[in-house]
Amino acid sequence: MLERPAAPPATWGKGRPQLLLAVRLLLVVGLVGLVVMDRVGGDFYRVGESGTSALGPAKLGGALLAVALVVASSRLGSRVLPAAAGTLAAVSLCLSALLHMEMSIGSQALGFAEPAALVWLLLVVARRGKPSWAAVAVPLLYLAIVLRPVSVSVKQSTVIYALIFALVALMALGIGLGTRLLLVDRRRQAAALRLEQRTEFARDLHDFVAHHVTGIVVQAQGAHAIAGRRPELVPPALQRIEQAGSEALASMRHMVGMLRDADGEVALTPLAGIGEVRSLVEEFSAVGGARARLDLEGTFDDLPVEVTTTAHRVVMEALTNVRKHAHGCTEVRVRVDRSGDQVTVRVSDDGRPRHVSRSGFGLKGLAERVGLIGGSVQAGPVTAGGWGVEATLPVATAGVAAS
């Protein structure tokens, strides 16, 4: 007898935020280290072989301000971030001009902390700053980075540093713009995916209405047929008709609400229920290769059609991914569990993933479909080995929220 599929780990999808936090922490530690190195090396205060620059405290303050803005950059909006970064770059350019006015031969104006922070800000502003604001901030940041080495003295070493800074800033700008274009493309694809999911609901809506209206009509015809012979059976029949109409209206309002942004021609597709889920599993086993097993627990007769259709889609997508990606899979376990006002669908296999990716549009489309009825989806390695998909579908929300 097959064992119950292992529940997916609770840590699915949480690794990326932790990685980003670690990267930001390393960045801040590195920038603070550069500030300390510049301070110990005397680059904030030394003018020539001897003597102290009056602008040393201003250089130190600028570097600390740049590091502080890097720390806060992840929490700033698309307008505030380029505005703050552009202002900081303008202050840095003014400081470079003041350093140039000192006209000190052999001055050590170069420091690494502030240019490094400005490079990071250049990347972030190019990546997610509002275009009209970023168009002003980016040139200011680039000039502030490149001109700092030659702000006091123009000689071979400072020119070389300026060229290196220019190259690094150009690479950061390219990375930021490239990431921005990639995110725009992915948002466009995600929007197209959402439209496709809503269109699929529209395709289900026709048969959904026909299914419920047909049932109501049949019950009304039955009540009419027995009205003369058994009039005492008419009130219960009318009550059933009223209940069926109310349930159909609530579910239809909910489905129409999920289609509010969709347009396009409506095509017809059959309604999917638990019977169709069983057929999916049987067809999967019949094709050969892996053996599939379906376990059902609970009562599914009174589920709203949007819940059963979504459960069918979850199983279909998961089995499709097993065919595509599960190398050496011999067994697939499908479990549909009804517990109160919640349906849980689990699909797990014992194969080795050929390619593990949580950013594929198959899973994103599935998450969009499940999210439309207030559910959630998780996917990842299971503790017993292999890969698993788990969807939680709220019954009460799906059938009642719109009423």
Side-chain angles (χ1 to χ4, degrees), residues 26 66 68 83 122 155 169 198 215 221 275 335:
L26 289 175
L122 176 64
K155 54 185 180 179
R198 287 175 172 83
Q221 290 173 343
R335 182 177 181 85

Short mmCIF file of all heavy atoms in Angstrom, two decimals, residues 26 66 68 83 122 155 169 198 215 221 275 335:
data_model
loop_
_atom_site.label_atom_id
_atom_site.label_comp_id
_atom_site.label_asym_id
_atom_site.label_seq_id
_atom_site.Cartn_x
_atom_site.Cartn_y
_atom_site.Cartn_z
N LEU A 26 26.21 42.00 3.05
CA LEU A 26 27.61 41.99 2.60
C LEU A 26 27.98 43.30 1.92
O LEU A 26 29.10 43.80 2.09
CB LEU A 26 27.82 40.82 1.63
CG LEU A 26 27.81 39.41 2.26
CD1 LEU A 26 27.91 38.35 1.17
CD2 LEU A 26 28.97 39.26 3.24
N ALA A 66 26.37 58.52 1.52
CA ALA A 66 26.19 57.60 0.40
C ALA A 66 25.91 56.19 0.88
O ALA A 66 25.04 55.48 0.35
CB ALA A 66 27.42 57.63 -0.50
N ALA A 68 24.58 55.37 3.76
CA ALA A 68 23.24 55.38 4.36
C ALA A 68 22.16 55.29 3.28
O ALA A 68 21.15 54.59 3.45
CB ALA A 68 23.05 56.64 5.20
N ALA A 83 15.50 60.69 -6.99
CA ALA A 83 15.62 62.06 -6.49
C ALA A 83 16.71 62.14 -5.42
O ALA A 83 17.56 63.05 -5.45
CB ALA A 83 14.28 62.53 -5.92
N LEU A 122 23.80 53.93 -8.87
CA LEU A 122 23.62 54.04 -10.31
C LEU A 122 22.91 52.79 -10.85
O LEU A 122 21.98 52.87 -11.67
CB LEU A 122 24.97 54.23 -11.00
CG LEU A 122 24.97 54.25 -12.53
CD1 LEU A 122 24.19 55.46 -13.04
CD2 LEU A 122 26.40 54.29 -13.06
N LYS A 155 46.62 63.93 -13.40
CA LYS A 155 47.91 63.32 -13.72
C LYS A 155 47.64 61.88 -14.15
O LYS A 155 46.49 61.42 -14.19
CB LYS A 155 48.84 63.37 -12.51
CG LYS A 155 48.26 62.78 -11.23
CD LYS A 155 49.21 62.98 -10.06
CE LYS A 155 48.62 62.40 -8.77
NZ LYS A 155 49.54 62.57 -7.62
N ALA A 169 31.38 52.04 -13.74
CA ALA A 169 30.06 52.69 -13.76
C ALA A 169 29.27 52.30 -14.99
O ALA A 169 28.06 52.08 -14.93
CB ALA A 169 30.24 54.20 -13.69
N ARG A 198 -7.89 34.42 -17.10
CA ARG A 198 -9.25 34.94 -17.03
C ARG A 198 -10.07 34.50 -18.25
O ARG A 198 -11.28 34.26 -18.15
CB ARG A 198 -9.22 36.46 -16.93
CG ARG A 198 -8.75 36.95 -15.57
CD ARG A 198 -8.59 38.46 -15.53
NE ARG A 198 -8.34 38.92 -14.17
CZ ARG A 198 -7.17 38.93 -13.57
NH1 ARG A 198 -6.12 38.48 -14.21
NH2 ARG A 198 -7.04 39.37 -12.34
N GLY A 215 -30.18 22.17 -14.52
CA GLY A 215 -30.63 21.49 -13.31
C GLY A 215 -31.86 22.15 -12.72
O GLY A 215 -32.80 21.47 -12.26
N GLN A 221 -39.56 21.39 -13.89
CA GLN A 221 -40.43 20.51 -14.67
C GLN A 221 -40.96 19.36 -13.81
O GLN A 221 -42.13 18.97 -13.92
CB GLN A 221 -39.67 19.97 -15.88
CG GLN A 221 -39.38 21.02 -16.94
CD GLN A 221 -38.48 20.49 -18.05
OE1 GLN A 221 -37.80 19.47 -17.89
NE2 GLN A 221 -38.48 21.19 -19.18
N GLY A 275 -14.49 13.52 -11.02
CA GLY A 275 -14.46 12.42 -11.99
C GLY A 275 -13.43 12.64 -13.07
O GLY A 275 -12.72 11.71 -13.48
N ARG A 335 -3.30 13.19 -4.24
CA ARG A 335 -4.22 13.14 -3.10
C ARG A 335 -5.08 14.40 -3.10
O ARG A 335 -4.55 15.52 -3.17
CB ARG A 335 -3.46 13.02 -1.79
CG ARG A 335 -4.38 12.91 -0.56
CD ARG A 335 -3.58 12.73 0.71
NE ARG A 335 -4.46 12.60 1.86
CZ ARG A 335 -5.01 11.47 2.27
NH1 ARG A 335 -4.77 10.35 1.59
NH2 ARG A 335 -5.79 11.42 3.33
#
